[in-house]
Amino acid sequence: MDADSTDFTPLSSSPTSEGVTVVVIAYNDAAHVRDAVASALDQGSTVHEVIAVDDASTDATGALLDAAATRDPRLRVHHRTANSGGCGTPRNDGLRLATGRWVMFLDSDDVLPTGAATTLLDAARTSGAQVAAGGCVRRELPLGREVRWQPALYREARTYASPTAEPRLVRDTLCVGKLYDRAFLQNHGVEFPDGRFLYEDFVFTARLLAAGPRLTLLPDTVYVWHVRRDSGAPSLSLDRREIANWQARLEAHRRVAAILQAAGREELVSAAHTKFVDHDIRMYLRELHTHDAKYQQRWWQLTREYLAGFPAHAVDAARAPARWCARVILASEAPVDLRRLIELATRPGRLLPPYAVMDGRAVWSRALPQVALDDILTKPVGRLPVTVTAEVRPGRRIRLQLRVDDLYGRLAEARPVTLELEVASRTAPDRPLTHARAPLGKAPGGDAWTAELELDIRQLAAQNGGHGHPEAWDLAVVVHCSDGTRARAAPRPGVRQLRRTVVPTWHGLLLLQPYCTTGGALAFRTDRGLDGVTRLLARRVRRLLT
């Protein structure tokens, strides 16, 4: 740990309280740090102390923390004299200065829900676990869309005697949303990498799992992770504009594998490799079209070199279509079929034609026959990466012309009959607002089906009324087949998707803008009247300035 001045004397490793220490780290975050600290102090008597580490901020962050400390003696502030360049060092500072038996981590732009610390502490005491973890919600601002982090791990309360009992634990790489026995961390040397190290959570989590703690997991939401899309500068880990970010992620993964390997946790090493294929490659691949050819070439080279060191079973254990993407990368020295790969990497994936079959096997292409798309000829139709293309025909009524491509003959076997469109607000993705349904007709050539339907603008206008901000809408298409199966897809935009239109409704003028998401799906933005036009122009100006 690097040397640095401190405002209060570091204490011994022995806890002076059975309560919880919450370590809050902050750097130039005067706009949000008070909310974070308040959410920690509002946990009540369970929280013995809050240690706020100011990583040499140059704005009002330090002064705000000092002022808050005068109002609550549980808050203690540690001012670093030099910025560490990352998140690991200030968290290590907080660990070194903590006095509670238990410790939690909180970032300055996030919050703890009411009762989170008590929920985790009760679970740890009841189960005898050294680590108690709960659900984390990833809240995208300003729209407020919420996505649960690793929901499969947190569907029900479970206790594991060791991480090897549930290898999927390597997928939860966040250090937040968890309560740790501080003595366990110290006794096993579990800490963060110091200095400017991106993805420090990955290394901390690997060291923790290598130490083999008893863990208890809860479905309760104990952490709210804020992702501010309107922020001028993304966080260190979310800033993926340069290839250096991918290199940092690869380095973090290498360290994870080495740590788990040294501890003899072979099951976890394999699970970490599979997670890399399932999650990391797919996440970066679907954004690859936003980068230039030089970035794409370098990303492909780095990824291929890293994947070459994976055992075959680790790639095979990944879910389709992630493993198909990995196999294509391994099979070609240079970037190939990027458009198809990017579409396949989306969620849900879309596999574009051509659909090659050789020797009775579904393969990626005739140019890469060694890349087998295993299971695609036997997978249930509802799990296939069906491709639906939507062309927008704007006007007083918004019509969508949709085309459904067959997929190695599998859809033809199921006999598609109708197409259903769901439109859901980003703020309520689980509650689709509007539905439209239309019959499917055979397209010329016999390898696709088409349908035309109308978007219910009235419902969009009513939902957008009175909000005072734009609304974003995601589209989902469900293909209903005569054998009872359903195939779900996110429609990809056709060539006419970028034209805006202003539609008169009973709720006033509605500005409607089709656009293509980062994942390549068709979506809509709506806004109200003249205010909406003003906001649109303001956003354009901000983008130009940025």
Side-chain angles (χ1 to χ4, degrees):
M1 191 172 295
D2 65 335
D4 188 39
S5 65
T6 181
D7 303 291
F8 47 93
T9 305
L11 300 172
S12 69
S13 61
S14 300
T16 60
S17 167
E18 287 296 305
V20 176
T21 296
V22 180
V23 174
V24 182
I25 62 169
Y27 172 67
N28 284 356
D29 200 11
H32 309 115
V33 68
R34 284 177 294 189
D35 290 339
V37 169
S39 75
L41 294 171
D42 288 346
Q43 298 296 308
S45 59
T46 299
V47 170
H48 159 67
E49 66 183 351
V50 176
I51 296 179
V53 181
D54 172 27
D55 198 7
S57 296
T58 57
D59 67 354
T61 296
L64 290 171
L65 290 172
D66 288 338
T70 64
R71 297 188 292 271
D72 194 319
R74 291 180 298 160
L75 174 61
R76 300 196 288 171
V77 184
H78 169 56
H79 295 281
R80 290 184 52 80
T81 57
N83 180 258
S84 67
C87 297
T89 297
R91 289 199 186 115
N92 286 337
D93 287 348
L95 273 175
R96 175 169 53 89
L97 298 167
T99 64
R101 175 182 173 183
W102 304 92
V103 65
M104 297 177 67
F105 299 106
L106 174 62
D107 290 348
S108 61
D109 54 350
D110 301 333
V111 292
L112 298 178
T114 301
T118 300
T119 297
L120 291 172
L121 183 57
D122 288 347
R125 287 172 171 170
T126 301
S127 63
Q130 287 91 27
V131 180
C136 172
V137 169
R138 190 175 186 269
R139 180 179 295 162
E140 296 184 5
L141 300 175
L143 292 178
R145 180 190 186 192
E146 294 188 349
V147 179
R148 295 194 67 80
W149 171 257
Q150 296 295 332
L153 288 174
Y154 293 98
R155 287 199 178 101
E156 58 183 359
R158 296 288 300 271
T159 298
Y160 301 101
S162 166
T164 53
E166 178 48 276
R168 290 184 303 168
L169 288 168
V170 299
R171 293 175 177 263
D172 185 0
T173 52
L174 299 182
C175 72
V176 297
K178 300 174 179 65
L179 179 77
Y180 306 92
D181 184 325
R182 186 166 62 87
F184 181 88
L185 299 183
Q186 291 177 326
N187 293 339
H188 291 85
V190 178
E191 63 177 11
F192 297 89
D194 273 312
R196 184 176 174 81
F197 188 96
L198 300 186
Y199 306 107
E200 74 291 334
D201 289 36
F202 290 18
V203 175
F204 177 88
T205 300
R207 288 171 176 167
L208 177 73
L209 298 180
R214 182 178 178 86
L215 307 98
T216 188
L217 274 59
L218 305 170
D220 310 65
T221 299
V222 298
Y223 197 89
V224 179
W225 171 15
H226 287 145
V227 178
R228 290 177 167 83
R229 297 297 184 187
D230 57 349
S231 173
S235 65
L236 293 175
S237 60
L238 291 178
D239 188 358
R240 298 194 284 266
R241 292 171 293 185
E242 302 296 333
I243 196 65
N245 181 279
W246 182 237
Q247 292 172 309
R249 200 172 185 99
L250 291 176
E251 174 58 26
H253 270 283
R254 288 190 182 94
R255 287 212 194 183
V256 167
I259 291 166
L260 296 175
Q261 189 79 53
R265 308 284 183 182
E266 296 295 339
E267 307 98 321
L268 299 184
V269 175
S270 181
H273 287 326
T274 301
K275 173 258 179 187
F276 179 81
V277 176
D278 265 337
H279 177 71
D280 299 78
I281 287 182
R282 198 170 180 179
M283 178 172 63
Y284 280 72
L285 188 56
R286 64 176 176 257
E287 297 178 357
L288 208 54
H289 66 284
T290 65
H291 299 283
D292 60 23
K294 182 179 179 181
Y295 178 103
Q296 294 170 356
Q297 176 71 41
R298 184 61 175 149
W299 183 90
W300 189 280
Q301 178 188 2
L302 290 168
T303 306
R304 190 168 184 266
E305 290 173 355
Y306 188 49
L307 277 176
F310 282 25
H313 67 81
V315 176
D316 294 343
R319 293 168 298 205
R323 67 173 178 268
W324 301 339
C325 292
R327 288 171 181 169
V328 172
I329 294 170
L330 284 167
S332 177
E333 294 183 2
V336 63
D337 296 335
L338 284 185
R339 183 182 171 209
R340 291 184 78 203
L341 283 171
I342 291 166
E343 295 271 1
L344 188 58
T346 61
R347 296 185 186 275
R350 300 179 293 265
L351 181 57
L352 274 62
Y355 304 126
V357 177
M358 299 182 69
D359 299 325
R361 299 181 310 134
V363 297
W364 178 256
S365 67
R366 294 194 174 276
L368 294 176
Q370 68 271 41
V371 179
L373 304 186
D374 51 325
D375 299 338
I376 204 164
L377 296 180
T378 56
K379 250 183 193 305
V381 171
R383 294 175 56 197
L384 292 176
V386 173
T387 297
V388 178
T389 303
E391 285 195 8
V392 182
R393 303 179 184 275
R396 292 177 65 88
R397 293 184 175 184
I398 304 300
R399 293 187 178 275
L400 298 175
Q401 183 74 42
L402 299 113
R403 175 188 170 96
V404 182
D405 285 304
D406 198 358
L407 190 65
Y408 292 93
R410 295 299 313 284
L411 275 180
E413 294 174 7
R415 302 183 304 280
V417 288
T418 59
L419 199 67
E420 183 179 14
L421 178 73
E422 298 176 356
V423 182
S425 167
R426 286 279 176 93
T427 57
D430 297 328
R431 297 191 300 275
L433 177 68
T434 182
H435 293 258
R437 199 160 180 166
L440 280 165
K442 202 71 173 173
D447 58 353
W449 298 263
T450 61
E452 185 172 300
L453 44 80
E454 184 177 309
L455 190 64
D456 191 341
I457 300 173
R458 295 168 300 174
Q459 290 195 46
L460 303 188
Q463 179 73 13
N464 206 183
H467 281 0
H469 59 72
E471 193 81 25
W473 305 87
D474 288 318
L475 277 62
V477 170
V478 181
V479 182
H480 294 268
C481 302
S482 60
D483 67 354
T485 60
R486 297 167 26 143
R488 189 178 180 87
R492 55 190 300 273
V495 295
R496 303 186 185 183
Q497 83 279 3
L498 298 178
R499 205 176 130 193
R500 290 178 198 87
T501 185
V502 178
V503 183
T505 71
W506 288 109
H507 302 271
L509 293 178
L510 182 73
L511 177 66
L512 187 143
Q513 179 188 10
Y515 71 100
C516 183
T517 68
T518 303
L522 176 65
F524 287 94
R525 292 189 188 94
T526 57
D527 210 346
R528 293 292 306 280
L530 296 177
D531 289 342
V533 174
T534 301
R535 281 189 286 269
L536 174 65
L537 293 174
R539 288 197 302 273
R540 282 186 177 178
V541 171
R542 284 198 299 271
R543 282 198 296 268
L544 288 172
L545 292 176
T546 302

